[in-house]
Protein backbone atom coordinates (compact mmCIF):
# COMPACT_ATOMS: atom_id res chain seq x y z
CA UNK A 1 0.00 0.00 0.00
CA UNK A 2 1.03 3.57 -0.50
CA UNK A 3 -0.08 6.57 1.45
CA UNK A 4 -2.31 7.77 -1.39
CA UNK A 5 -4.27 4.50 -1.51
CA UNK A 6 -7.86 4.87 -0.27
CA UNK A 7 -7.24 8.51 0.54
CA UNK A 8 -10.79 9.88 0.66
CA UNK A 9 -10.30 13.44 1.91
CA UNK A 10 -7.22 15.64 2.07
CA UNK A 11 -7.42 19.31 3.02
CA UNK A 12 -4.10 21.16 3.01
CA UNK A 13 -5.57 24.48 4.24
CA UNK A 14 -3.37 26.60 1.97
CA UNK A 15 -5.60 29.67 2.16
CA UNK A 16 -8.59 27.67 0.93
CA UNK A 17 -10.87 24.81 2.01
CA UNK A 18 -10.08 22.66 -1.03
CA UNK A 19 -9.98 18.88 -0.78
CA UNK A 20 -6.86 17.63 -2.58
CA UNK A 21 -7.91 13.96 -2.56
CA UNK A 22 -9.53 14.15 -5.97
CA UNK A 23 -12.99 13.53 -4.52
CA UNK A 24 -13.94 17.21 -4.63
CA UNK A 25 -15.08 17.45 -1.01
CA UNK A 26 -14.34 21.17 -0.78
CA UNK A 27 -15.52 23.02 2.29
CA UNK A 28 -16.08 26.55 3.51
CA UNK A 29 -15.57 28.54 6.69
CA UNK A 30 -17.93 29.23 9.54
CA UNK A 31 -15.89 32.06 11.05
CA UNK A 32 -12.62 30.18 10.65
CA UNK A 33 -9.69 31.84 8.89
CA UNK A 34 -6.21 30.94 7.63
CA UNK A 35 -2.84 31.70 9.19
CA UNK A 36 0.37 32.25 7.25
CA UNK A 37 2.27 32.85 10.49
CA UNK A 38 1.46 29.65 12.38
CA UNK A 39 1.50 26.80 9.89
CA UNK A 40 3.01 23.36 9.48
CA UNK A 41 3.02 22.78 5.72
CA UNK A 42 2.44 24.88 2.62
CA UNK A 43 1.45 28.53 2.75
CA UNK A 44 -1.18 28.50 5.52
CA UNK A 45 -2.98 26.53 8.20
CA UNK A 46 -6.63 26.79 9.19
CA UNK A 47 -7.27 28.92 12.30
CA UNK A 48 -10.04 28.66 14.92
CA UNK A 49 -10.80 31.18 17.66
CA UNK A 50 -12.03 28.87 20.43
CA UNK A 51 -15.52 30.32 20.36
CA UNK A 52 -17.57 29.82 17.22
CA UNK A 53 -15.31 28.79 14.30
CA UNK A 54 -15.27 25.66 12.17
CA UNK A 55 -14.47 24.35 8.74
CA UNK A 56 -17.69 23.07 7.16
CA UNK A 57 -17.37 20.19 4.69
CA UNK A 58 -21.08 19.31 4.50
CA UNK A 59 -22.52 15.80 4.79
CA UNK A 60 -19.75 13.83 3.09
CA UNK A 61 -17.86 10.58 3.72
CA UNK A 62 -20.93 9.00 5.33
CA UNK A 63 -20.31 5.71 3.55
CA UNK A 64 -16.69 5.71 4.73
CA UNK A 65 -17.66 5.96 8.39
CA UNK A 66 -21.16 4.49 8.73
CA UNK A 67 -22.15 0.83 8.60
CA UNK A 68 -20.96 -2.58 9.72
CA UNK A 69 -17.29 -3.54 9.77
CA UNK A 70 -16.03 -0.19 8.47
CA UNK A 71 -12.32 0.52 8.65
CA UNK A 72 -10.99 4.06 8.47
CA UNK A 73 -8.12 6.25 9.61
CA UNK A 74 -7.65 9.96 9.98
CA UNK A 75 -4.65 12.15 10.77
CA UNK A 76 -4.11 15.88 11.18
CA UNK A 77 -1.40 18.27 12.30
CA UNK A 78 -2.79 20.13 15.33
CA UNK A 79 -1.66 23.22 17.25
CA UNK A 80 -3.60 24.13 20.40
CA UNK A 81 -3.17 27.61 21.86
CA UNK A 82 -4.22 26.33 25.27
CA UNK A 83 -5.81 23.33 26.98
CA UNK A 84 -8.33 25.28 29.04
CA UNK A 85 -11.37 23.57 27.51
CA UNK A 86 -12.26 20.38 25.68
CA UNK A 87 -11.68 21.26 22.03
CA UNK A 88 -13.09 19.34 19.05
CA UNK A 89 -10.81 19.14 16.02
CA UNK A 90 -12.56 16.68 13.69
CA UNK A 91 -16.15 15.47 13.72
CA UNK A 92 -19.19 14.24 11.91
CA UNK A 93 -21.67 15.02 14.60
CA UNK A 94 -24.74 17.04 15.38
CA UNK A 95 -26.30 16.87 18.83
CA UNK A 96 -28.85 18.69 20.91
CA UNK A 97 -26.76 21.87 20.87
CA UNK A 98 -27.54 21.91 17.15
CA UNK A 99 -31.14 20.99 17.82
CA UNK A 100 -30.70 17.62 16.18
CA UNK A 101 -29.69 14.03 16.82
CA UNK A 102 -27.11 13.09 14.21
CA UNK A 103 -24.31 11.71 16.33
CA UNK A 104 -21.66 9.73 14.41
CA UNK A 105 -18.23 10.55 15.91
CA UNK A 106 -16.03 13.34 17.16
CA UNK A 107 -12.37 13.71 18.14
CA UNK A 108 -10.97 16.25 20.56
CA UNK A 109 -8.26 17.19 23.03
CA UNK A 110 -9.18 17.23 26.71
CA UNK A 111 -8.07 19.71 29.33
CA UNK A 112 -5.68 17.04 30.67
CA UNK A 113 -3.88 16.90 27.32
CA UNK A 114 -5.35 13.53 26.27
CA UNK A 115 -6.66 12.91 22.77
CA UNK A 116 -10.20 11.52 22.88
CA UNK A 117 -12.58 10.00 20.36
CA UNK A 118 -16.24 9.13 20.81
CA UNK A 119 -17.77 6.67 18.38
CA UNK A 120 -21.56 6.65 18.44
CA UNK A 121 -23.71 3.59 17.66
CA UNK A 122 -27.02 5.41 17.49
CA UNK A 123 -27.91 8.93 16.44
CA UNK A 124 -29.60 9.72 19.77
CA UNK A 125 -26.46 9.19 21.82
CA UNK A 126 -27.65 6.20 23.85
CA UNK A 127 -24.79 3.87 22.92
CA UNK A 128 -21.17 4.83 22.29
CA UNK A 129 -17.55 4.12 23.09
CA UNK A 130 -15.20 6.82 24.31
CA UNK A 131 -11.52 6.16 23.55
CA UNK A 132 -8.67 8.18 24.98
CA UNK A 133 -4.92 8.31 25.42
CA UNK A 134 -3.22 8.94 28.74
CA UNK A 135 -3.06 12.57 29.88
CA UNK A 136 -0.45 15.02 28.65
CA UNK A 137 0.26 13.55 25.22
CA UNK A 138 -0.68 16.98 23.81
CA UNK A 139 1.04 20.21 24.80
CA UNK A 140 -0.20 23.70 24.02
CA UNK A 141 1.84 25.92 21.74
CA UNK A 142 3.32 23.48 19.24
CA UNK A 143 2.51 21.35 16.21
CA UNK A 144 1.76 17.66 16.79
CA UNK A 145 0.64 14.91 14.40
CA UNK A 146 -2.35 12.95 15.70
CA UNK A 147 -3.29 9.74 13.86
CA UNK A 148 -6.28 7.54 14.75
CA UNK A 149 -7.41 4.24 13.22
CA UNK A 150 -10.81 2.56 13.65
CA UNK A 151 -11.62 -1.04 12.70
CA UNK A 152 -15.33 -1.74 13.18
CA UNK A 153 -14.87 -5.43 12.38
CA UNK A 154 -13.16 -6.04 15.75
CA UNK A 155 -15.44 -6.73 18.71
CA UNK A 156 -12.92 -7.96 21.31
CA UNK A 157 -12.74 -6.28 24.70
CA UNK A 158 -16.16 -4.70 24.12
CA UNK A 159 -14.76 -2.70 21.22
CA UNK A 160 -11.64 -1.40 22.96
CA UNK A 161 -9.49 -3.11 20.31
CA UNK A 162 -11.10 -1.19 17.43
CA UNK A 163 -9.04 1.97 17.96
CA UNK A 164 -5.35 2.84 17.85
CA UNK A 165 -3.89 6.30 18.43
CA UNK A 166 -0.49 7.75 17.62
CA UNK A 167 0.92 11.16 18.48
CA UNK A 168 4.05 12.22 16.59
CA UNK A 169 4.37 8.69 15.16
CA UNK A 170 4.46 7.07 18.61
CA UNK A 171 1.77 4.59 19.70
CA UNK A 172 -0.23 5.67 22.72
CA UNK A 173 -2.08 3.37 25.12
CA UNK A 174 -5.81 3.61 24.47
CA UNK A 175 -8.40 3.20 27.22
CA UNK A 176 -12.12 2.93 26.60
CA UNK A 177 -15.31 3.82 28.46
CA UNK A 178 -18.44 2.00 27.20
CA UNK A 179 -21.99 3.30 27.13
CA UNK A 180 -24.68 0.84 26.05
CA UNK A 181 -24.19 -1.97 23.56
CA UNK A 182 -21.38 -2.22 21.01
CA UNK A 183 -22.59 -1.50 17.50
CA UNK A 184 -21.75 0.34 14.29
CA UNK A 185 -21.62 4.00 13.40
CA UNK A 186 -25.12 4.82 12.11
CA UNK A 187 -25.79 6.46 8.79
CA UNK A 188 -26.48 10.13 9.40
CA UNK A 189 -26.60 13.61 7.90
CA UNK A 190 -24.24 15.48 10.24
CA UNK A 191 -21.59 17.56 8.52
CA UNK A 192 -17.91 16.73 8.51
CA UNK A 193 -16.16 19.58 10.30
CA UNK A 194 -12.76 20.75 11.46
CA UNK A 195 -12.11 22.85 14.57
CA UNK A 196 -15.54 22.28 16.11
CA UNK A 197 -18.71 20.35 15.38
CA UNK A 198 -21.60 21.89 13.54
CA UNK A 199 -24.09 19.23 12.56
CA UNK A 200 -26.51 19.43 9.70
CA UNK A 201 -27.94 22.75 10.87
CA UNK A 202 -24.70 24.16 9.47
CA UNK A 203 -24.73 27.27 11.60
CA UNK A 204 -24.10 26.44 15.23
CA UNK A 205 -20.58 25.60 16.36
CA UNK A 206 -19.90 23.75 19.58
CA UNK A 207 -16.77 22.62 21.38
CA UNK A 208 -14.63 24.90 19.29
CA UNK A 209 -10.88 24.55 19.01
CA UNK A 210 -8.61 27.43 19.98
CA UNK A 211 -5.70 26.90 17.63
CA UNK A 212 -4.72 25.68 14.19
CA UNK A 213 -5.13 22.61 11.97
CA UNK A 214 -2.92 21.83 9.01
CA UNK A 215 -2.63 19.08 6.39
CA UNK A 216 -4.73 16.06 7.20
CA UNK A 217 -6.49 13.15 5.62
CA UNK A 218 -9.15 10.48 5.91
CA UNK A 219 -8.52 6.98 4.55
CA UNK A 220 -11.03 4.15 4.09
CA UNK A 221 -8.55 1.63 5.45
CA UNK A 222 -6.23 1.12 8.40
CA UNK A 223 -2.95 2.95 7.90
CA UNK A 224 0.16 0.83 8.24
CA UNK A 225 3.21 1.75 10.28
CA UNK A 226 4.96 2.55 7.00
CA UNK A 227 2.13 4.97 6.16
CA UNK A 228 2.51 6.55 9.59
CA UNK A 229 6.22 6.98 8.99
CA UNK A 230 5.48 8.62 5.63
CA UNK A 231 3.07 11.07 7.25
CA UNK A 232 5.47 11.89 10.05
CA UNK A 233 8.40 12.22 7.62
CA UNK A 234 10.93 12.68 10.39
CA UNK A 235 8.82 15.42 11.93
CA UNK A 236 8.58 17.53 8.78
CA UNK A 237 5.25 16.07 7.66
CA UNK A 238 3.98 15.85 4.10
CA UNK A 239 1.17 17.39 2.13
CA UNK A 240 -1.39 14.97 0.69
CA UNK A 241 -1.58 13.34 -1.70
CA UNK A 242 2.08 12.53 -2.23
CA UNK A 243 3.18 13.33 -5.76
CA UNK A 244 5.59 10.56 -6.61
CA UNK A 245 8.41 10.79 -9.10
CA UNK A 246 7.99 8.52 -12.10
CA UNK A 247 7.92 8.38 -15.83
CA UNK A 248 6.39 11.62 -17.03
CA UNK A 249 3.35 11.47 -19.24
CA UNK A 250 4.48 14.28 -21.52
CA UNK A 251 6.94 12.32 -23.65
CA UNK A 252 4.24 12.00 -26.25
CA UNK A 253 2.27 9.03 -27.44
CA UNK A 254 -0.29 7.39 -25.30
CA UNK A 255 -0.13 7.29 -21.58
CA UNK A 256 -1.83 4.57 -19.70
CA1 LIG B 1 -1.18 24.09 4.89
Amino acid sequence: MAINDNLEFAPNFNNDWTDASGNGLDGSAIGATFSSGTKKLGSHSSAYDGTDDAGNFLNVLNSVFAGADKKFSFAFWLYFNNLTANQRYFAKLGDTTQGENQRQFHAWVQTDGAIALRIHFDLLGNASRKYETPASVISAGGWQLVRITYDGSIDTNDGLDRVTMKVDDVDKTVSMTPTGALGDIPSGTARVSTGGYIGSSGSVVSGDMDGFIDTGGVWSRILTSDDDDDLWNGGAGIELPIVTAGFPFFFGGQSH
Side-chain angles (χ1 to χ4, degrees):
M1 302 295 281
I3 194 67
N4 293 349
D5 293 343
N6 301 101
L7 178 65
E8 306 289 349
F9 176 62
N12 284 308
F13 303 112
N14 290 334
N15 212 27
D16 63 44
W17 299 96
T18 302
D19 165 32
S21 75
N23 289 332
L25 308 182
D26 299 349
S28 61
I30 299 177
T33 58
F34 298 101
S35 173
S36 60
T38 303
K39 64 188 180 186
K40 180 63 186 181
L41 289 152
S43 63
H44 294 72
S45 71
S46 55
Y48 310 88
D49 69 357
T51 306
D52 56 3
D53 289 355
N56 174 11
F57 292 91
L58 303 177
N59 173 21
V60 297
L61 301 169
N62 189 63
S63 63
V64 171
F65 302 129
D69 299 338
K70 289 301 173 76
K71 303 172 195 274
F72 60 84
S73 307
F74 59 89
F76 291 93
W77 284 95
L78 306 175
Y79 184 116
F80 293 93
N81 287 324
N82 57 68
L83 299 176
T84 57
N86 291 334
Q87 300 171 53
R88 276 71 185 177
Y89 71 87
F90 188 60
K92 190 175 191 302
L93 183 132
D95 65 13
T96 50
T97 64
Q98 282 85 29
E100 62 185 9
N101 290 306
Q102 291 292 332
R103 294 170 184 82
Q104 295 181 283
F105 76 89
H106 58 142
W108 69 99
V109 67
Q110 301 185 147
T111 55
D112 64 359
I115 288 290
L117 169 73
R118 187 177 293 278
I119 298 285
H120 286 277
F121 303 132
D122 72 296
L123 297 176
L124 297 175
N126 293 320
S128 65
R129 295 290 179 274
K130 180 191 174 190
Y131 302 88
E132 61 192 296
T133 68
S136 304
V137 302
I138 296 295
S139 302
W143 286 105
Q144 291 180 274
L145 177 64
V146 177
R147 189 285 275 138
I148 292 177
T149 65
Y150 175 82
D151 185 341
S153 72
I154 298 173
D155 292 343
T156 48
N157 290 320
D158 201 21
L160 166 65
D161 301 336
R162 289 186 178 187
V163 169
T164 72
M165 297 181 172
K166 276 187 175 181
V167 177
D168 292 345
D169 206 23
V170 176
D171 277 307
K172 299 300 177 184
T173 303
V174 177
S175 61
M176 185 275 288
T177 305
T179 302
L182 186 65
D184 303 304
I185 296 176
S187 182
T189 59
R191 299 187 181 201
V192 169
S193 59
T194 53
Y197 60 88
I198 53 178
S200 53
S201 65
S203 58
V204 180
V205 175
S206 296
D208 198 21
M209 180 174 172
D210 186 349
F212 307 86
I213 302 176
D214 211 342
T215 291
V218 173
W219 293 260
S220 55
R221 64 180 176 89
I222 304 298
L223 294 181
T224 67
S225 60
D226 283 349
D227 295 325
D228 296 333
D229 292 344
D230 285 347
L231 287 176
W232 175 240
N233 191 22
I238 52 164
E239 291 199 304
L240 296 166
I242 291 181
V243 179
T244 53
F247 292 106
F249 289 111
F250 50 78
F251 279 165
Q254 290 188 313
S255 60
H256 58 272

mmCIF file of all heavy atoms in Angstrom, residues 12-14 41-42 44-45 214-215 239, ligand 1:
data_model
loop_
_atom_site.group_PDB
_atom_site.id
_atom_site.type_symbol
_atom_site.label_atom_id
_atom_site.label_comp_id
_atom_site.label_asym_id
_atom_site.label_seq_id
_atom_site.Cartn_x
_atom_site.Cartn_y
_atom_site.Cartn_z
ATOM 1 N N ASN A 12 -5.421 20.629 2.670
ATOM 2 C CA ASN A 12 -4.097 21.157 3.015
ATOM 3 C C ASN A 12 -4.162 22.564 3.603
ATOM 4 O O ASN A 12 -3.139 23.086 4.052
ATOM 5 C CB ASN A 12 -3.178 21.120 1.789
ATOM 6 C CG ASN A 12 -2.681 19.717 1.491
ATOM 7 O OD1 ASN A 12 -2.143 19.048 2.369
ATOM 8 N ND2 ASN A 12 -2.864 19.251 0.262
ATOM 9 N N PHE A 13 -5.334 23.197 3.564
ATOM 10 C CA PHE A 13 -5.567 24.482 4.237
ATOM 11 C C PHE A 13 -4.615 25.580 3.780
ATOM 12 O O PHE A 13 -4.185 26.390 4.584
ATOM 13 C CB PHE A 13 -5.476 24.293 5.762
ATOM 14 C CG PHE A 13 -6.413 23.259 6.324
ATOM 15 C CD1 PHE A 13 -5.920 22.073 6.858
ATOM 16 C CD2 PHE A 13 -7.790 23.446 6.305
ATOM 17 C CE1 PHE A 13 -6.775 21.112 7.389
ATOM 18 C CE2 PHE A 13 -8.653 22.477 6.829
ATOM 19 C CZ PHE A 13 -8.144 21.312 7.367
ATOM 20 N N ASN A 14 -4.278 25.568 2.496
ATOM 21 C CA ASN A 14 -3.371 26.598 1.971
ATOM 22 C C ASN A 14 -4.169 27.806 1.476
ATOM 23 O O ASN A 14 -4.224 28.095 0.278
ATOM 24 C CB ASN A 14 -2.468 26.021 0.880
ATOM 25 C CG ASN A 14 -1.460 25.054 1.468
ATOM 26 O OD1 ASN A 14 -1.105 25.157 2.637
ATOM 27 N ND2 ASN A 14 -1.009 24.111 0.658
ATOM 28 N N LEU A 41 2.658 23.148 7.090
ATOM 29 C CA LEU A 41 3.024 22.782 5.716
ATOM 30 C C LEU A 41 2.346 23.745 4.744
ATOM 31 O O LEU A 41 1.219 24.189 4.979
ATOM 32 C CB LEU A 41 2.574 21.356 5.407
ATOM 33 C CG LEU A 41 3.355 20.247 6.120
ATOM 34 C CD1 LEU A 41 2.494 19.011 6.317
ATOM 35 C CD2 LEU A 41 4.605 19.897 5.325
ATOM 36 N N GLY A 42 3.012 24.020 3.642
ATOM 37 C CA GLY A 42 2.441 24.880 2.622
ATOM 38 C C GLY A 42 2.414 26.332 3.072
ATOM 39 O O GLY A 42 3.198 26.758 3.915
ATOM 40 N N HIS A 44 -0.298 28.116 4.420
ATOM 41 C CA HIS A 44 -1.176 28.499 5.524
ATOM 42 C C HIS A 44 -1.621 27.256 6.303
ATOM 43 O O HIS A 44 -1.535 26.130 5.807
ATOM 44 C CB HIS A 44 -2.456 29.179 5.019
ATOM 45 C CG HIS A 44 -2.252 30.509 4.349
ATOM 46 N ND1 HIS A 44 -1.689 30.633 3.101
ATOM 47 C CD2 HIS A 44 -2.565 31.771 4.753
ATOM 48 C CE1 HIS A 44 -1.646 31.921 2.758
ATOM 49 N NE2 HIS A 44 -2.165 32.630 3.740
ATOM 50 N N SER A 45 -2.168 27.513 7.484
ATOM 51 C CA SER A 45 -2.979 26.526 8.198
ATOM 52 C C SER A 45 -4.379 27.104 8.364
ATOM 53 O O SER A 45 -4.613 28.277 8.063
ATOM 54 C CB SER A 45 -2.373 26.237 9.578
ATOM 55 O OG SER A 45 -2.546 27.367 10.433
ATOM 56 N N ASP A 214 -3.519 21.845 10.343
ATOM 57 C CA ASP A 214 -2.915 21.828 9.013
ATOM 58 C C ASP A 214 -3.007 20.420 8.427
ATOM 59 O O ASP A 214 -3.553 19.503 9.072
ATOM 60 C CB ASP A 214 -1.473 22.350 9.062
ATOM 61 C CG ASP A 214 -1.074 23.058 7.764
ATOM 62 O OD1 ASP A 214 -1.751 22.853 6.733
ATOM 63 O OD2 ASP A 214 -0.082 23.815 7.783
ATOM 64 N N THR A 215 -2.490 20.271 7.222
ATOM 65 C CA THR A 215 -2.631 19.077 6.393
ATOM 66 C C THR A 215 -3.128 17.840 7.126
ATOM 67 O O THR A 215 -2.547 17.404 8.113
ATOM 68 C CB THR A 215 -1.282 18.724 5.744
ATOM 69 O OG1 THR A 215 -0.965 19.725 4.788
ATOM 70 C CG2 THR A 215 -1.349 17.385 5.041
ATOM 71 N N GLU A 239 2.495 17.043 2.632
ATOM 72 C CA GLU A 239 1.170 17.394 2.133
ATOM 73 C C GLU A 239 0.615 16.195 1.375
ATOM 74 O O GLU A 239 1.354 15.389 0.808
ATOM 75 C CB GLU A 239 1.246 18.620 1.226
ATOM 76 C CG GLU A 239 1.597 19.889 2.006
ATOM 77 C CD GLU A 239 1.247 21.154 1.258
ATOM 78 O OE1 GLU A 239 1.723 21.324 0.116
ATOM 79 O OE2 GLU A 239 0.491 21.974 1.818
HETATM 80 CA CA1 LIG B 1 -1.181 24.092 4.890
#
